Amino acid sequence: MCGIALSIGPEADPATFRRMLAVLAPRGEVTETRSERGLLAGTRRLRVVDRDRAVQPWTSSDERWLLCFNGEIFNYRELRTQLTRLGQAFRTESDTEVLLAAFQQWGEAAVTRLRGEYAFVAVERSTGRAYLARDPLGVKPLYWSRRPGCLQLASEVKALVGHGAPIVEVPPGHHGWAEADGHVRLNPYVDLLSIGAGLPVIDDPDEAALLVRAALSDAIRMRVETDLTVGVVLSGGLDSSLMLRQVRDIHRDCVAVTVGVADSPDVAYARRLAADLDVPHVVVELRPRDIRLADVREAIRISELTEYGDIINAVVSVPIFRRLRDLGIKVVLTGDGSDELFGGYPMYHQVGQAAARRLFLHRIRNLCRTELQRVDRAAMGHGVEARVPFLDLSVVELAMRLPLNLKLRDGQEKWIVRRAFADVLPDYILRRPKNPMSYSSGLHERVRLYKPLFARLHRSFGYDLQEPVRRDFDTVLSRCGNDLDRAIADGLDRPDYTVLEHARDLVGAARWNAAPVVRRLVGPRPARRSSVGRPHA
């Protein structure tokens, strides 16, 4: 994984380019650049695959193309075999080289063969035309902005804000060309709304459980094919627990990391599971009062998020990846995406089948700017590569084919996932109800104290050049009775919270934070310890 930055055009400025790449420094370990007339390209590379030879920007053997690539292509060995049979020769064992060779061989159709999490730019050096592509779910980011005589591209918004120009996101599952005249023309190569359409519905529980287990196990296996230690973000919930169990069986060199208040449910469940699986476990213990305004500000700076709830989750996430970095762990797996795919949210079960599917598709399409953005920025902001097996395209397609009654049954959300892994997970995990990380960690309400300041902090970094802060869509949706059309219209009509709503939220958070202090003041005093046996002064 990397941070990538490019300036293309006659007015490409070396000083500006260096600043762009410097902003992306936390995403990798080494800075690698190439400067040509009208083309400045560079990466801040996190060395994971073929660490010594996969140098970027990578150039094709015929010197025609230059590639800047962020992410991983998990089926690169299979693609390399195909390309070798077609006459391609390789200099390294890297997925970077395979990616550019695939583009040379199959052109724009190459992206339909990729199985991975990626964003990349391939530049035709003689003309300055650039081909852009981003993975179907938007796990990896890519943005662009245009100045007179120059097109700027980068992995993060913060690398582009210094120009003062509007910043545009390359949408998930899109690819296309940035022409020499600076115009960017992108089209979808994957339509998330139609994935699985036309394929038969899988309504048999036994068949569905077998397919879910096979698809998830394969997605996890592909993401742990490394000689590095693999971390797992463990909340003690269903998704992260099955992730840890599968990783431990496939890649014994693994470690679990959990964040939360010492006596929170997350920490208790996670400690128990890690001990049962005999996996090294690191707990980042935080007290609510440990979270200060500086921590909130830093989480917003790193994450660039635009919804209040996602920012709250980012504040809780940042300490996890900071600890992973300190442990020297570069690769980590998370359970993100499971709730969206397998019915982990109440809204899916409060409306009819057709409305539930629309909600399902809406959440999947927006993951790139919510959960996935949080994970990418919090992880790569500390030089850690986060991989998300639940959002492998094969798993997404399978989830699209499962009816709602296999996702919620007998009052149990994600029922089919529990059924699929019932023989490998302990009952205390299988029975544990869903509890979002930021709530069950015991830290959520502390961060809410700072919620009225989120929008101002966000603007202070210039992130509104891409998108301003907005209300949490889940909150809007709930108030609109889970009517998607009404919620979208309401969000457009009033994007941010009112002063009154902020005040009400602040009062609730203040009451929650004051409760422990009140309990200590008015509760029974602990019995004084006997002085018997104490040494005398």
Side-chain angles (χ1 to χ4, degrees):
M1 297 253 178
C2 304
I4 66 175
L6 301 96
S7 293
I8 306 172
E11 299 301 319
D13 175 53
T16 300
F17 169 72
R18 286 193 296 269
R19 286 194 294 269
M20 289 169 59
L21 202 52
V23 168
L24 300 175
R27 294 184 72 94
E29 304 161 282
V30 294
T31 299
E32 299 165 341
T33 62
R34 183 153 180 164
S35 300
E36 302 176 1
R37 185 185 179 109
L39 172 60
L40 306 173
T43 66
R44 180 67 178 171
R45 183 164 64 95
L46 185 65
R47 296 179 291 190
V48 175
V49 179
D50 200 352
R51 294 186 281 276
D52 295 327
R53 296 185 295 170
V55 178
Q56 292 195 47
W58 184 263
T59 54
S60 59
S61 56
D62 62 5
E63 297 291 320
R64 179 183 176 187
W65 296 97
L66 176 146
L67 173 71
C68 286
F69 164 44
N70 169 32
E72 303 286 348
I73 307 300
F74 299 123
N75 64 333
Y76 77 96
R77 292 187 180 91
E78 173 189 332
L79 294 173
R80 179 191 173 106
T81 298
Q82 296 173 20
L83 291 163
T84 299
R85 290 171 180 163
L86 292 169
Q88 297 265 16
F90 292 91
R91 295 168 274 165
T92 71
E93 296 295 326
S94 71
D95 57 339
T96 301
E97 184 178 16
V98 169
L99 174 58
L100 187 52
F103 174 68
Q104 288 182 280
Q105 183 69 45
W106 297 305
E108 296 180 26
V111 288
T112 63
R113 298 171 180 256
L114 303 179
R115 187 176 179 185
E117 302 165 357
Y118 54 84
F120 66 88
V121 180
V123 183
E124 188 175 42
R125 295 169 61 218
S126 63
T127 65
R129 294 177 71 234
Y131 173 75
L132 323 179
R134 189 178 180 196
D135 68 70
L137 274 296
V139 179
K140 294 290 102 187
L142 186 59
Y143 301 89
W144 61 272
S145 67
R146 190 165 50 227
R147 304 169 59 197
C150 183
L151 178 70
Q152 314 272 26
L153 300 114
S155 293
E156 297 187 10
V157 174
K158 60 178 66 69
L160 298 172
V161 294
H163 315 317
I167 298 167
V168 183
E169 180 183 22
V170 174
H174 279 61
H175 69 155
W177 293 89
E179 302 293 344
D181 61 6
H183 289 288
V184 179
R185 299 177 178 87
L186 303 174
N187 296 293
Y189 66 89
V190 169
D191 181 6
L192 287 179
L193 303 186
S194 63
I195 288 179
L199 296 174
V201 172
I202 304 167
D203 54 9
D204 178 76
D206 293 331
E207 180 187 7
L210 288 172
L211 291 172
V212 167
R213 180 156 174 167
L216 273 173
S217 297
D218 186 54
I220 293 168
R221 176 192 59 76
M222 296 190 80
R223 286 162 174 78
V224 297
E225 289 183 348
T226 176
D227 60 346
L228 298 171
T229 301
V230 173
V232 176
V233 176
L234 177 66
S235 71
L238 174 68
D239 311 320
S240 62
S241 295
L242 76 84
M243 198 73 58
L244 181 63
R245 173 57 198 263
Q246 294 295 97
V247 171
R248 190 214 61 172
D249 290 347
I250 301 169
H251 191 86
R252 294 290 300 188
D253 184 11
C254 63
V255 60
V257 180
T258 304
V259 67
V261 175
D263 59 353
S264 68
D266 271 3
V267 172
Y269 277 99
R271 285 190 193 278
R272 183 176 179 184
L273 181 70
D276 287 350
L277 296 179
D278 192 26
V279 171
H281 186 211
V282 177
V283 177
V284 183
E285 290 189 3
L286 291 177
R287 299 165 300 179
R289 65 177 179 271
D290 292 333
I291 296 176
R292 307 292 179 86
L293 178 59
D295 302 299
V296 175
R297 186 179 191 278
E298 178 64 0
I300 292 173
R301 185 196 69 79
I302 289 174
S303 69
E304 308 172 347
L305 288 159
T306 57
E307 285 194 22
Y308 288 86
D310 295 314
I311 291 171
I312 290 172
N313 283 337
V315 177
V316 178
S317 298
V318 165
I320 297 177
F321 294 105
R322 183 184 297 128
R323 181 62 60 86
L324 284 161
R325 177 199 62 195
D326 294 344
L327 293 170
I329 295 172
K330 295 183 184 180
V331 176
V332 63
L333 270 59
T334 80
D336 291 280
S338 174
D339 289 323
E340 286 76 11
L341 291 175
F342 293 104
Y345 294 111
M347 68 181 75
Y348 290 155
H349 317 299
Q350 296 168 353
V351 295
Q353 181 81 27
R357 181 170 176 81
R358 288 193 67 212
L359 289 173
F360 168 69
L361 293 171
H362 179 85
R363 289 200 66 99
I364 293 297
R365 189 167 49 186
N366 279 276
L367 274 173
C368 64
R369 48 169 295 277
T370 55
E371 290 297 297
L372 292 178
Q373 182 167 320
R374 172 184 61 81
V375 171
D376 173 80
R377 303 300 196 281
M380 294 303 290
H382 296 90
V384 177
E385 174 186 317
R387 300 176 176 181
V388 284
F390 274 102
L391 294 176
D392 190 280
L393 203 56
S394 65
V395 179
V396 176
E397 180 183 280
L398 175 60
M400 297 283 197
R401 299 172 59 194
L402 300 179
L404 195 60
N405 63 16
L406 290 186
K407 299 177 180 181
L408 177 74
R409 182 168 290 197
D410 301 327
Q412 184 72 72
E413 89 286 347
K414 293 182 284 192
W415 179 85
I416 194 62
V417 178
R418 298 173 195 272
R419 169 80 175 267
F421 292 91
D423 62 322
V424 298
L425 288 175
D427 285 345
Y428 61 86
I429 294 296
L430 291 170
R431 292 196 305 265
R432 185 186 180 189
K434 173 179 168 54
N435 203 345
M437 177 186 66
S438 52
Y439 287 88
S440 54
S441 67
L443 302 171
H444 181 275
E445 293 293 337
R446 176 66 179 189
V447 185
R448 281 181 62 204
L449 282 173
Y450 303 99
K451 193 174 173 183
L453 304 177
F454 287 1
R456 180 165 62 84
L457 291 170
H458 187 270
R459 287 193 300 272
S460 74
F461 296 113
Y463 296 158
D464 52 322
L465 287 169
Q466 199 267 318
E467 189 178 10
V469 165
R470 63 176 71 175
R471 289 184 292 167
D472 299 323
F473 188 75
D474 286 354
T475 301
V476 178
L477 189 63
S478 177
R479 290 179 179 175
C480 292
N482 294 314
D483 184 316
L484 184 59
D485 294 324
R486 278 183 57 203
I488 292 173
D490 187 89
L492 292 173
D493 182 58
R494 185 164 58 85
D496 202 355
Y497 289 104
T498 65
V499 173
L500 180 60
E501 286 171 325
H502 273 312
R504 188 184 303 122
D505 196 60
L506 183 61
V507 168
R511 185 183 299 118
W512 186 92
N513 280 272
V517 177
V518 173
R519 283 196 295 269
R520 286 197 297 270
L521 291 175
V522 303
R525 296 180 179 274
R528 296 183 61 183
R529 296 175 61 183
S530 170
S531 60
V532 175
R534 288 182 181 175
H536 294 286

